Amino acid sequence: MRPKALIAANWKMNKLPSEVSAWVRDLKDALTGKVLNADLAICAPYPHLPALVEAVRRTAIRPGAQDVSAHKAGAYTGEVAAAMLQDVGVELVIIGHSERRQYHQESDTLINAKLQRLQEHGLVPILCIGETITEREAGMTEQIVLGQLTACLQGISLKLAAELIIAYEPVWAIGTGKTATAEDAQEVCGAIRTTLLKLYPTLAEGIRILYGGSMKPDNAAELLSQPDINGGLVGGASLEVASYLGIAEGA
Ligand code: PEP
């Protein structure tokens, strides 16, 4: 069965913890009287999380983080463990974002370890994969994306489709204003689904595959109408309530 769309905000390193509750209140006010065809999630920086969890309590908006340590606990200064995120009340965690791969040299092996830590604590990973412009122009898109997918999912078993979310994010589309065409995005998301069918034959149809990369209210509906695109991971346009909601209304 086609999963309900999820529109996940990735606030990246923006906003202040003290701004969270007013932002969520504005979102809740804007949602009054509306019926969305999408679930909502907000992935915020670590210091924002207690305020975010509190602000979304008793709503259907799911609180998320943007990264997690590959280690369980111990002498890893500056790291945040999955157990800590679970304890704070987080439900979803982005891993493998291209900004982590690019600026922090994160490998598929490391991301696989992070995924295992999340599973140990019942947290749902939003696993990001995507090709660079050089890789796309060299005709290597599927090879790169499916290679990342299978490497990050090595040894990972699932009981439910809802335990895993994939985000296809072409690196050249993130924060650039250049969106993949709906056809190009569907082609890659379709190939991701085919690989998921091999890995998790009974669950793959229900695993959400999000598109991310300069998604905006004016391009969301077309992207979200593609058969293998089940939502969006939204950076820049998720910072304002109006544009975030505008995207969700496209589902
Ligand atoms: C992202 O950071 O995951 C992202 C898709 O950013 P943007 O929407 O700004 O391209």
Side-chain angles (χ1 to χ4, degrees), residues 62-64 68 81-87 89-93 114-126 157-160 162-165:
R62 302 175 72 192
V68 68
M84 299 171 186
L85 297 177
Q86 180 190 27
D87 193 62
V90 161
E91 296 178 29
L92 306 163
V93 183
K114 292 184 175 196
L115 210 162
Q116 291 179 48
R117 298 294 84 75
L118 295 180
Q119 282 201 320
E120 286 159 7
H121 292 277
L123 299 168
V124 177
I126 302 178
S157 54
L158 300 176
K159 291 195 187 72
L160 301 169
E163 290 172 4
L164 175 67
I165 299 170

Side-chain angles (χ1 to χ4, degrees), residues 4 17 19 53 66 69 101 103 111 133 139 176 192-193 196 201 211 218 235 243:
K4 187 175 180 186
E19 295 171 332
V53 169
Q66 298 174 8
S69 177
R101 292 177 187 261
Y103 305 137
I111 296 160
I133 192 64
T176 59
I192 291 170
R193 181 88 60 205
L196 291 174
Y211 167 80
D218 63 3
S243 48

